[in-house]
């Protein structure tokens, strides 16, 4: 795998990465492109020479056509051959551009999913998704611009033209060579300014898109406060700023085009002056003049393409760099080299003197020690912010402890593969979000090769089967973005069914009954009791009624376990008793 280092993501290094991946993944196809392009360039160089011979034969007053009949099929063959090989080269480049775009797009997306939650907490998912999409398209365009659009063919043609003209007429070759440094200088100076303008454009575009995504993603809030016009006005201001800057960049493009046209005009005048002088002196024929003018026209094509492509590629590389930045992000929680695959839980899970701070600052857990024995139900209770949910995300290894260790049958989970750990755990968060897919797909999401019978059984255990059958298409019904077509309680029951279907070694429920009505909550309690002894359960409870029958209840306060025992034993604990009294008094009917 090609290594990507964050500190090396400059213009030339990004181009080097793209070309390196192109060569390493599709070496022979890439060589084939160069070979076919060289053939096309060589044939293009021949066409003006053949045309020169035809014109000179006609002007020589040839009485019979037999002397140049043989030139016509050769001209046709060469002309069509150049076009044909040019076409083949373009087709191969298009294929390579698609494949390399896919390579980097999928690699960045895979790495994005692998990055720890501490990284995701600091980045907006919608913006990152947009960056990957735009950058992937930019990589395709870079390859298409550098190796497609006739540029390789044009470069070979220019090379052959320079070689030929310097051997035939050195002064003509010098006239052809003269625009090269001038084009290069103009392109370099103006492209640097265009690139700086593009950086500003990218920032303005990101800001406008964030505004758009933020508003559309909170459409219910926008409507509830009647802020439709204000959101449109805010987006309009930011998008107008983008277009104003885009216009300034476009002016630089126009200025570059003017300079290029001036250089071309001067070069044409110089060549015409040389040709007229040489014709008068009798050293050049009309056919040769036509040939040199044709060569000059062919030589301008790659120069114009190169200057355009160089400036455009600089803009595209800036956009593509966003993808490479994601691919280069360090993953401090990546599997170690000899990571083990966790087996099915046999004994239990132990939190051994675990201390954790969010972003290295705020203490969430302090020297926490407890065990979850296999088949037992352990509940965590406490005030909001006490550290209950932190225990769950550490068990899933969304974060690593700052001190201490979490042991799975004595194995530090840091030494296990993340994939095997999460295959052994089912997690039901406090507010479950579903995919915009069918109910069936959402339930079967965490289980490979799930059968229809098992999906329905899990739905029944979660008491979701009845309401699923009432949806328009039953299990085939699509739930909408983030499950918006279902109520909060329905979404939660689908999430519970998904977790139960996976038959995990450890089931973590993070206040997962908080959105359910009393009747459904009672049914879920039945499921929890059914799983007792079969699956180890860690329940983070908001409603104490959910965990009255837990084997062990841990009272968490300020990141520490301040009490442990059964429900009856903990009624003597002031924190637990206060939580119990507050809840049951609140839930007592008037």
């Amino acid at each position: 795998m090609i290594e990507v280092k964050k500190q090396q993501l400059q213009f030339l290094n990004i181009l080097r990465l793209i070309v390196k991946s192109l060569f390493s993944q599709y070496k022979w196809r890439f060589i084939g492109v160069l070979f076919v392009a060289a053939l096309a360039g060589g044939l293009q160089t021949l066409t003006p020479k053949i045309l020169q011979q035809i014109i000179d034969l006609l002007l020589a007053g040839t009485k019979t056509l037999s002397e140049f009949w043989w030139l016509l099929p050769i001209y046709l063959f060469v002309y069509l051959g150049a076009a044909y090989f040019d076409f083949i080269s373009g087709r191969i480049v298009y294929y390579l551009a698609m494949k390399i775009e896919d390579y980097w797009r999928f690699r960045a997306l895979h790495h994005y999913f692998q990055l720890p939650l501490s990284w995701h907490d600091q980045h907006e998912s919608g913006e990152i998704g947009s960056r990957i999409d735009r950058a992937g398209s930019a990589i395709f365009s870079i390859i298409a611009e550098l190796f497609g659009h006739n540029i390789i063919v044009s470069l070979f043609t220019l090379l052959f033209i320079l070689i030929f003209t310097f051997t035939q007429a050195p002064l003509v070759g010098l006239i052809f060579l003269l625009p090269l440094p001038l084009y290069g200088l103009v392109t370099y100076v103006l492209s640097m300014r265009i690139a700086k303008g593009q950086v500003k454009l990218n920032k303005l575009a990101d800001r406008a898109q964030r505004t758009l995504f933020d508003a559309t993603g909170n459409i219910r809030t926008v409507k509830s406060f009647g802020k439709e016009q204000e959101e449109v006005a805010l987006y309009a201001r930011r998008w107008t700023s983008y277009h104003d800057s885009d216009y300034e960049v476009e002016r630089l493009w126009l200025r570059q085009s003017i300079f290029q046209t001036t250089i071309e005009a001067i070069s044409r005048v110089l060549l015409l002056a040389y040709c007229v002088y040489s014709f008068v002196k009798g050293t050049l024929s009309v056919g040769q003049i036509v040939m040199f003018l044709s060569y000059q026209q062919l030589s301008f094509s790659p120069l114009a393409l190169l200057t355009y492509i160089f400036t455009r590629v600089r803009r595209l590389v800036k956009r593509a760099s966003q993808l490479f930045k994601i691919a280069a992000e360090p993953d401090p929680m990546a599997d170690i080299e000899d990571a083990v695959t966790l087996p099915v839980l046999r004994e239990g899970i132990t939190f051994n003197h675990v201390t954790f701070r969010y972003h290295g600052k705020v203490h969430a857990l302090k020297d926490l020690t407890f065990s979850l024995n296999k088949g037992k139900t352990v509940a965590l209770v406490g005030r909001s912010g006490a550290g209950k949910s932190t225990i769950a995300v550490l068990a899933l290894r969304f974060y690593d402890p700052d001190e201490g260790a979490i042991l799975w049958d004595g194995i530090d989970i840091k030494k296990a593969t993340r994939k095997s750990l999460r295959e052994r755990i089912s997690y039901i968060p406090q507010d479950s979000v579903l995919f915009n897919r069918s109910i069936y797909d959402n339930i079967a999401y965490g289980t490979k090769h799930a059968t229809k019978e098992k999906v329905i059984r899990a739905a029944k255990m979660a008491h979701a089967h009845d309401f699923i059958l009432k949806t328009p298409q039953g299990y085939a019904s699509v739930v909408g973005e983030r499950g918006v077509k279902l109520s909060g309680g329905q979404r939660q029951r689908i999430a519970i069914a998904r977790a139960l279907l996976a038959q995990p070694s450890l089931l973590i429920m993070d206040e997962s009954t908080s959105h359910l009505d009393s009747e459904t909550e009672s049914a879920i309690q039945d499921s929890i009791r059914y799983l007792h002894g079969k699956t180890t359960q860690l329940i983070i409870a908001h409603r104490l009624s959910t965990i009255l029958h837990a084997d062990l209840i841990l009272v968490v306060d300020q990141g520490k376990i301040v009490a442990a025992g059964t429900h009856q034993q903990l009624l003597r604990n002031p924190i637990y008793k206060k939580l119990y009294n507050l809840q049951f008094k609140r839930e007592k009917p008037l």
Side-chain angles (χ1 to χ4, degrees):
M1 181 179 289
I2 300 171
E3 185 179 7
V4 184
K5 295 182 179 179
K6 202 169 185 179
Q7 65 272 23
Q8 295 180 343
L9 297 183
Q10 293 84 28
F11 175 73
L12 290 178
N13 285 326
I14 291 175
L15 288 181
R16 191 177 295 116
L17 281 171
I18 294 173
V19 174
K20 186 176 181 180
S21 62
L22 183 62
F23 197 79
S24 65
Q25 299 290 316
Y26 301 96
K27 177 180 177 180
W28 293 111
R29 278 192 172 91
F30 183 62
I31 292 174
V33 168
L34 298 179
F35 178 73
V36 172
L39 287 176
L43 291 174
Q44 278 192 2
T45 308
L46 284 176
T47 51
K49 180 64 179 174
I50 299 171
L51 186 62
Q52 174 243 316
Q53 292 180 2
I54 293 174
I55 292 174
D56 283 341
L57 279 171
L58 291 173
L59 292 177
T62 305
K63 300 299 183 181
T64 174
L65 296 176
S66 60
E67 295 185 34
F68 60 85
W69 271 127
W70 63 276
L71 289 174
L72 295 181
I74 292 177
Y75 183 83
L76 178 64
F77 174 80
V78 170
Y79 190 91
L80 291 179
Y84 179 72
F85 286 124
D86 191 6
F87 172 76
I88 293 176
S89 173
R91 287 293 298 271
I92 299 174
V93 169
Y94 187 87
Y95 173 83
L96 294 176
M98 285 195 304
K99 290 297 183 181
I100 299 304
E101 175 194 358
D102 291 348
Y103 171 81
W104 286 110
R105 185 188 288 267
F106 301 156
R107 179 171 167 183
L109 185 61
H110 180 267
H111 191 67
Y112 167 78
F113 284 127
Q114 295 297 320
L115 289 171
L117 276 186
S118 56
W119 185 87
H120 288 276
D121 290 343
Q122 300 176 51
H123 296 82
E124 296 180 24
S125 58
E127 182 182 341
I128 295 297
S130 176
R131 286 182 183 179
I132 291 176
D133 185 57
R134 296 201 312 270
S137 299
I139 290 173
F140 174 91
S141 298
I142 288 170
I143 296 173
E145 298 287 2
L146 287 177
F147 304 108
H149 298 309
N150 304 321
I151 186 61
I152 301 183
V153 175
S154 297
L155 286 175
F156 276 113
T157 303
L158 176 61
L159 176 63
F160 295 148
I161 287 172
L162 289 175
I163 293 173
F164 177 78
T165 51
F166 267 109
T167 58
Q168 296 294 311
L171 188 57
V172 174
L174 189 62
I175 293 173
F176 286 175
L177 191 63
L178 183 62
L180 291 179
L182 295 175
Y183 262 76
L185 180 62
V186 168
T187 301
Y188 178 78
V189 172
L190 290 178
S191 68
M192 291 295 290
R193 295 182 61 184
I194 291 173
K196 290 179 180 178
Q198 189 62 44
V199 172
K200 181 181 179 181
L201 274 179
N202 289 340
K203 291 180 179 178
L204 290 173
D206 286 342
R207 188 178 70 160
Q209 286 184 330
R210 280 198 301 270
T211 302
L212 179 62
F213 293 154
D214 192 34
T216 56
N218 292 281
I219 184 64
R220 294 176 183 273
T221 305
V222 172
K223 283 186 169 296
S224 66
F225 285 94
K227 292 290 185 178
E228 294 91 342
Q229 293 298 329
E230 286 84 347
E231 289 297 335
V232 172
L234 177 60
Y235 177 67
R237 287 196 300 272
R238 295 187 172 178
W239 189 247
T240 300
S241 296
Y242 168 81
H243 267 163
D244 290 343
S245 296
D246 189 34
Y247 177 69
E248 293 300 319
V249 172
E250 194 61 33
R251 287 177 63 187
L252 292 173
W253 278 100
L254 178 61
R255 191 176 303 173
Q256 179 174 282
S257 179
I258 291 172
F259 278 122
Q260 291 171 353
T261 302
T262 303
I263 293 170
E264 288 182 14
I266 293 172
S267 298
R268 287 183 185 278
V269 169
L270 288 175
L271 180 62
L272 281 171
Y274 170 81
C275 288
V276 169
Y277 177 80
S278 298
F279 179 76
V280 172
K281 291 290 184 179
T283 56
L284 275 185
S285 67
V286 174
Q288 287 175 313
I289 293 173
V290 172
M291 178 184 69
F292 285 138
L293 290 174
S294 299
Y295 278 147
Q296 188 178 56
Q297 185 62 41
L298 284 175
S299 68
F300 282 145
S301 177
L303 289 177
L305 278 172
L306 279 173
T307 52
Y308 165 77
I309 287 172
F310 181 74
T311 307
R312 178 164 163 75
V313 165
R314 288 195 70 92
R315 299 173 69 181
L316 291 169
V317 165
K318 286 290 183 183
R319 191 178 300 171
S321 66
Q322 299 299 321
L323 184 149
F324 289 103
K325 285 178 182 178
I326 296 172
E329 280 290 341
D331 183 3
M333 297 177 66
D335 293 343
I336 61 176
E337 188 174 347
D338 55 348
V340 300
T341 300
L342 283 181
V344 174
L345 190 67
R346 294 188 299 270
E347 297 177 6
I349 302 163
T350 300
F351 277 64
N352 187 24
H353 297 286
V354 170
T355 295
F356 176 72
R357 306 171 188 85
Y358 279 105
H359 308 300
K361 298 177 181 179
V362 182
H363 259 103
L365 300 177
K366 304 173 186 176
D367 196 29
L368 193 78
T369 298
F370 71 94
S371 294
L372 292 86
N373 295 325
K374 180 184 177 182
K376 299 298 182 181
T377 299
V378 176
L380 302 175
V381 300
R383 302 182 181 95
S384 296
K388 306 185 298 298
S389 295
T390 302
I391 294 172
V393 296
L394 287 177
L396 284 157
R397 207 180 167 221
F398 288 166
Y399 300 90
D400 278 335
D402 296 317
E403 300 172 26
I406 302 171
L407 307 176
W408 181 286
D409 287 340
I411 303 171
D412 190 336
I413 62 173
K414 287 183 181 179
K415 298 179 180 179
T417 63
R418 289 179 293 190
K419 181 176 177 60
S420 67
L421 172 67
R422 289 162 191 170
E423 285 178 345
R424 301 297 182 198
I425 301 175
S426 284
Y427 175 54
I428 308 172
Q430 182 175 352
D431 186 13
S432 294
V433 176
L434 304 181
F435 294 95
N436 189 15
R437 303 170 191 175
S438 70
I439 291 175
Y440 184 96
D441 289 338
N442 272 284
I443 295 176
Y445 183 77
T447 306
K448 291 182 180 179
H449 312 300
T451 64
K452 184 176 181 180
E453 292 74 17
K454 290 183 178 179
V455 168
I456 292 175
R457 181 186 175 195
K460 287 180 177 179
M461 289 176 63
H463 292 267
H465 180 70
D466 291 340
F467 88 77
I468 292 173
L469 294 181
K470 294 177 182 178
T471 59
Q473 293 178 290
Y475 282 86
S477 296
V478 177
V479 301
E481 186 177 1
R482 302 175 68 86
V484 70
K485 294 182 181 179
L486 302 178
S487 68
Q490 289 172 333
R491 288 197 299 270
Q492 205 69 349
R493 278 178 274 173
I494 296 295
I496 292 171
R498 177 169 58 197
L500 296 178
L501 178 64
Q503 296 182 327
S505 290
L506 174 63
L507 175 64
I508 301 176
M509 303 178 74
D510 187 352
E511 301 192 13
S512 54
T513 61
S514 57
H515 292 301
L516 304 182
D517 54 74
S518 299
E519 181 181 354
T520 309
E521 181 189 356
S522 176
I524 298 303
Q525 291 176 24
D526 292 340
S527 298
I528 293 172
R529 284 193 287 270
Y530 169 79
L531 292 171
H532 186 267
K534 300 180 181 67
T535 298
T536 306
Q537 299 179 71
L538 178 64
I539 302 174
I540 300 170
H542 175 70
R543 295 182 178 180
L544 298 185
S545 56
T546 311
I547 49 90
L548 295 180
H549 303 291
D551 297 299
L552 179 66
I553 300 174
L554 304 176
V555 182
V556 183
D557 191 52
Q558 296 182 356
K560 296 180 179 179
I561 296 175
V562 295
T566 64
H567 168 67
Q568 292 298 329
Q569 292 170 339
L570 288 173
L571 285 174
R572 296 190 292 269
N573 178 270
I575 296 177
Y576 183 84
K577 186 175 182 179
K578 183 178 180 180
L579 290 171
Y580 178 80
N581 289 335
L582 284 172
Q583 184 173 130
F584 280 87
K585 284 180 181 178
R586 184 171 62 247
E587 294 183 353
K588 184 181 296 184
L590 296 175

